[in-house]
Amino acid sequence: MKDGSLMTLASSRRRAMATTESSSLSSSSSSSSSNSKEESRTGLRDTIPKCYHAAYDLEGLVRESSPATDVRAPSPFPATATAPPPSLQRKGGHILLQSLSTPSRFQSSPLTPRQSLSCLRSLAEFHAASLGNAPLLTLASRRLSPAGGSYHLRFRNPEEVRRIEESWEGFRRRFWEGMDDIVKQGRGRDWKRLLEKEGVANLGRRMRDMAEWVSDRLTPGAEEDGAVLVHGDFKAMNVFLPSELQTHSPDVTTTIIEPHDIHAIPPAILIDFSCVGIGHPLSDVAMHIAHALPPHHLQNGGEDRLVEAYLLALERAVRGRRGEKKDSSWTFPREEARRQYRLACVDYARFIMGRFWRTASPETFENKRGSGNTTLINRDVDAAMAFVEKVDGYLEMFEKERERECGKE
């Protein structure tokens, strides 16, 4: 079924359920620790829109027990249908949410480091609300999805991975051939040497061979340590930022943030929970940074500082919910966090390479340059190549880890 209006109706239940689940998550988790400070108890409520009303009627089209955000859920419409079937009459749904189109909020992409901290602070509150709550995660696994993100491997067309070597070779050739013009026109640095590197030349084959291994390690069960509800589509345009962070110079290179700055940054408001499911928290962080941060903000330790800032915010949010002192007790093991983040970068690269880079070229990048809803690594040459360079190194690490595992079997 390809009719846009029908697809909108079919997804109305998913959006209604996902939004109301997130709203109830805010109220239930915030009241679960009566000894928490008020700041900690109300943190999540300050980071998602108020949901005033949600309703839907899709009886006979979608089973009430079907997962709300699992994109594998079967469509109620025949694949060959060309017109709305009679069963759609008087069916649909609606959500009444808080209006965010006010002078106090704005959207932007790409982001500055301070704007990113605002997003990551809110993300930490969202993750903290479900961390360690096995009953909640088990319920979400049934009612929402056992895995978060529309780009999760289990939800993608298998052809993306099967043809990823071909997709990558085409991308590499087009950008290598166009690199001289890119440099001449001031649209990016000269990345030819990177593209000629043996490991990078073989990146498509390597990604195909490692795709399932990587995805498996980013797909925890509801009762596993570290599992949370992930947003699943944490791009810059899925947040509303506080107006005090607005700037007319998003590309300034002098902005340096420190991890502890995140506690003083006002939180963003998160929107669009249609891809929520179970996952590891650093998956959202990896997508956010790749999607929204220009490479010059990630150099000289900038990326590490953003990840550390998120971890500090997550630790504070979790401690607040448990009634613990802000500088003691629960911490996120840094080695495990770094591993999760690197795995998530590789996993996101697999999605981008298979889904978008098959047809990408210097020309398509230029056409999308100003599209804030498009991931930065699919519209900015330097961002894309810096991401490739990073993923090449991370993938090599995990290839060696898998070899060690196989040697023990």
Side-chain angles (χ1 to χ4, degrees):
M1 191 71 209
K2 296 183 179 180
D3 186 274
S5 62
L6 298 186
M7 293 305 293
T8 299
L9 283 172
S11 66
S12 62
R13 172 182 174 272
R14 294 212 298 256
R15 290 186 178 272
M17 284 188 64
T19 303
T20 51
E21 288 279 359
S22 297
S23 239
S24 63
L25 173 64
S26 170
S27 58
S28 64
S29 61
S30 64
S31 61
S32 63
S33 177
S34 59
N35 295 324
S36 300
K37 293 183 179 180
E38 185 64 21
E39 176 188 357
S40 299
R41 294 203 315 270
T42 60
L44 182 58
R45 289 201 297 269
D46 293 335
T47 63
I48 61 176
K50 293 181 177 65
C51 180
Y52 299 110
H53 184 70
Y56 58 87
D57 179 8
L58 296 175
E59 186 177 355
L61 300 176
V62 179
R63 290 182 293 107
E64 186 65 26
S65 60
S66 65
T69 62
D70 191 332
V71 295
R72 297 175 305 170
S75 169
F77 311 113
T80 57
T82 58
S87 57
L88 269 184
Q89 295 297 319
R90 307 180 70 85
K91 300 292 184 181
H94 62 268
I95 309 172
L96 182 60
L97 295 175
Q98 171 189 3
S99 173
L100 300 176
S101 57
T102 67
S104 62
R105 295 282 171 180
F106 74 101
Q107 291 181 291
S108 181
S109 180
L111 301 177
T112 67
R114 284 176 57 80
Q115 291 167 349
S116 178
L117 288 185
S118 178
C119 300
L120 294 173
R121 180 180 177 184
S122 297
L123 182 67
E125 290 284 355
F126 178 69
H127 289 161
S130 58
L131 181 69
N133 191 335
L136 174 65
L137 293 173
T138 300
L139 177 63
S141 181
R142 295 198 309 266
R143 297 287 288 167
L144 297 176
S145 175
S150 62
Y151 62 91
H152 192 285
L153 183 61
R154 71 171 64 181
F155 302 144
R156 303 307 308 170
N157 185 335
E159 286 298 307
E160 290 179 3
V161 171
R162 279 198 287 265
R163 302 175 67 178
I164 200 169
E165 187 173 3
E166 175 188 341
S167 298
W168 171 247
E169 183 51 41
F171 176 92
R172 192 175 72 92
R173 173 180 49 78
R174 290 187 292 271
F175 277 83
W176 190 93
E177 293 174 350
M179 196 60 66
D180 290 342
D181 287 339
I182 290 171
V183 175
K184 186 182 303 182
Q185 296 166 12
R187 291 159 49 199
R189 293 165 43 197
D190 187 347
W191 294 91
K192 276 189 173 181
R193 182 170 297 182
L194 172 69
L195 294 174
E196 293 167 353
K197 183 181 174 184
E198 182 179 0
V200 172
N202 294 322
L203 192 60
R205 174 187 57 77
R206 296 166 61 204
M207 191 66 73
R208 181 197 64 209
D209 293 346
M210 290 291 291
E212 189 172 348
W213 188 93
V214 169
S215 182
D216 286 347
R217 282 149 184 78
L218 288 170
T219 312
E223 296 188 1
E224 288 186 35
D225 290 342
V228 298
L229 284 180
V230 294
H231 183 280
D233 193 19
F234 199 58
K235 55 189 177 183
M237 299 306 283
N238 275 341
V239 302
F240 277 82
L241 294 158
S243 59
E244 54 262 49
L245 297 181
Q246 196 158 13
T247 174
H248 299 293
S249 303
D251 292 325
V252 292
T253 59
T254 56
T255 303
I256 298 178
I257 57 96
E258 294 300 333
H260 283 89
D261 293 346
I262 196 167
H263 301 313
I265 298 286
I269 291 183
L270 316 183
I271 63 171
D272 193 350
F273 295 92
S274 61
C275 295
V276 168
I278 312 300
H280 280 304
L282 273 297
S283 292
D284 280 337
V285 178
M287 178 186 175
H288 168 78
I289 290 176
H291 198 288
L293 272 295
H296 58 262
H297 287 319
L298 306 180
Q299 297 169 353
N300 302 316
E303 185 171 10
D304 292 337
R305 289 192 292 272
L306 287 171
V307 174
E308 177 64 17
Y310 162 79
L311 294 172
L312 292 176
L314 179 65
E315 289 170 344
R316 175 172 285 195
V318 170
R319 291 166 185 161
R321 293 182 178 281
R322 297 178 179 180
E324 299 169 357
K325 294 181 179 179
K326 66 178 182 179
D327 295 322
S328 65
S329 216
W330 188 84
T331 58
F332 198 121
R334 292 306 189 262
E335 184 175 350
E336 176 59 23
R338 287 191 291 269
R339 184 172 184 275
Q340 274 190 28
Y341 180 77
R342 291 164 181 163
L343 282 166
C345 286
V346 173
D347 192 54
Y348 189 57
R350 179 267 311 159
F351 165 65
I352 296 297
M353 290 170 63
R355 173 66 179 85
F356 296 114
W357 284 359
R358 181 171 182 80
T359 58
S361 66
E363 292 73 28
T364 64
F365 268 44
E366 184 61 21
N367 292 339
K368 297 174 182 177
R369 178 180 287 269
S371 173
N373 209 37
T374 299
T375 180
L376 203 57
I377 57 176
N378 197 38
R379 61 187 173 102
D380 181 280
V381 175
D382 285 343
M385 297 302 161
F387 187 64
V388 166
E389 186 173 41
K390 175 173 64 178
V391 166
D392 170 48
Y394 291 167
L395 190 56
E396 183 177 359
M397 293 172 54
F398 294 123
E399 287 167 333
K400 293 178 180 178
E401 181 179 330
R402 188 178 70 166
E403 286 178 8
R404 290 192 297 271
E405 287 181 359
C406 292
K408 294 178 181 179
E409 293 177 356

